[in-house]
Amino acid sequence: MRRGVLVFECVTLLLGAMISCSEPIKVHTREMDRTYLVVEGLITDQPTLEQYVKLSVSVPYMSAITEVPAVGEAEVVVSDGTTDYLFEEQENTGVYRAPEGFYARSGRKYSLSVRATVDGEPHQYGAEAQLPDIACNLEKIDYSYNGKTQQKMDSLWTVLMWGRDYAAVDGIYLVRLGVNGHRQPIGSSLMMEDKYFNGKRIEAFPVGLLLQTNENYKKYGESAKFLEEGDVLTADVYILSREYYSFIAKIQGDGGGTNNMPLMSSQPANPPTNLTGDGDVMGFFGACAVVSASCTVSDPFQTINYQSQ
């Protein structure tokens, strides 16, 4: 019995120590000292896809702000070393779009130049990115219905891909799904390396899920609609540089990327960056080659036994 009393006394002392340690502790974060310009930039080799640079500023880590403040009236220029392309701001949103017809070209290095005012002071920022080589081909995609009412979800589809990975290229992929031209957020898209199928043919490989629920529809719009006959599914496979892959992986791991834009919906801790400047800056300027395929929904509830392929 003495042993039981001793254990009880130890637990009592521990609880007392926990209760007594109630003095507030002030956690010091970098955002308390200064404001960072946050840059989210992406260019691709497909003129029909988005080419943009989004500018915002950091907010305190524990802030209740849900919409990060946009940075407008900046000068945003992307150059391929020969031609400078001025990206124009869209309706005071802090989103700067490429001029019509712009797209990145294979083998070229692109530089980003940003002149922006942060905390009332003008600053200059820059970054460089090079378009990766095409690392795979994409022959076709299809879908398989996986919805189950006991999972309390409206509907769930798996998207499958056929193609081939190129052995000579170290491929890192991000697969972004879309419905009728409306694409899912980059921050919630599947990323993978080619080490599991390097140089091999790809047969009915599951590359993503369409979880179509009312909640997702409110967040993401038409990219999360219930699939119907005639809908067009698209899979865009972005070939990433190792650095851009590390950046997105960090954002996804820290819980960012929960909205269509920006990818950095909240400021994560210490993400990698390729940006420099005479002011504090974080984010990334990325360049991606993209291969795409589409299919039209005939029977929304078709199933494919892709596990055995």
Side-chain angles (χ1 to χ4, degrees), residues 13-31:
L13 288 172
L14 178 60
L15 289 174
M18 292 173 63
I19 294 171
S20 65
C21 295
S22 58
E23 182 178 350
I25 298 175
K26 185 176 182 180
V27 179
H28 187 80
T29 63
R30 289 189 305 175
E31 291 84 356

Side-chain angles (χ1 to χ4, degrees), residues 128-133 170-173 191 238-248 274 284-289:
E128 289 188 342
Q130 185 162 348
L131 201 72
D133 293 330
D170 182 20
I172 304 176
Y173 306 121
M191 288 199 303
Y238 290 68
I239 292 89
L240 311 179
S241 67
R242 176 68 59 178
E243 295 75 19
Y244 196 28
Y245 166 78
S246 298
F247 170 76
I248 298 178
N274 63 349
F284 208 91
F285 172 58
C288 295

Side-chain angles (χ1 to χ4, degrees), residues 20 27 29 33 44 51 59 74 98 100 121-122 186 191 195 199 233 245 248 262-263 282 299:
S20 65
V27 179
T29 63
D33 296 328
T44 75
Q51 325 276 342
V59 296
E100 185 176 355
E121 296 291 333
I186 288 180
M191 288 199 303
K195 59 184 178 181
L233 301 183
Y245 166 78
I248 298 178
L263 174 63
M282 64 170 61
D299 174 11

Side-chain angles (χ1 to χ4, degrees), residues 27 39 93 106 117 130 136 170 207 217 223 279 296:
V27 179
V39 180
T93 59
S106 178
T117 299
Q130 185 162 348
C136 69
D170 182 20
V207 293
Y217 188 84
S223 68
T296 301

Side-chain angles (χ1 to χ4, degrees), residues 215-262:
E215 182 179 353
N216 279 356
Y217 188 84
K218 292 176 183 177
K219 288 182 180 179
Y220 310 130
E222 291 299 303
S223 68
K225 74 179 292 292
F226 186 92
L227 294 188
E228 302 172 282
E229 182 179 351
D231 285 338
V232 177
L233 301 183
T234 301
D236 299 316
V237 180
Y238 290 68
I239 292 89
L240 311 179
S241 67
R242 176 68 59 178
E243 295 75 19
Y244 196 28
Y245 166 78
S246 298
F247 170 76
I248 298 178
K250 178 64 176 176
I251 300 300
Q252 290 183 340
D254 283 340
T258 55
N259 302 308
N260 279 321
M261 282 198 358

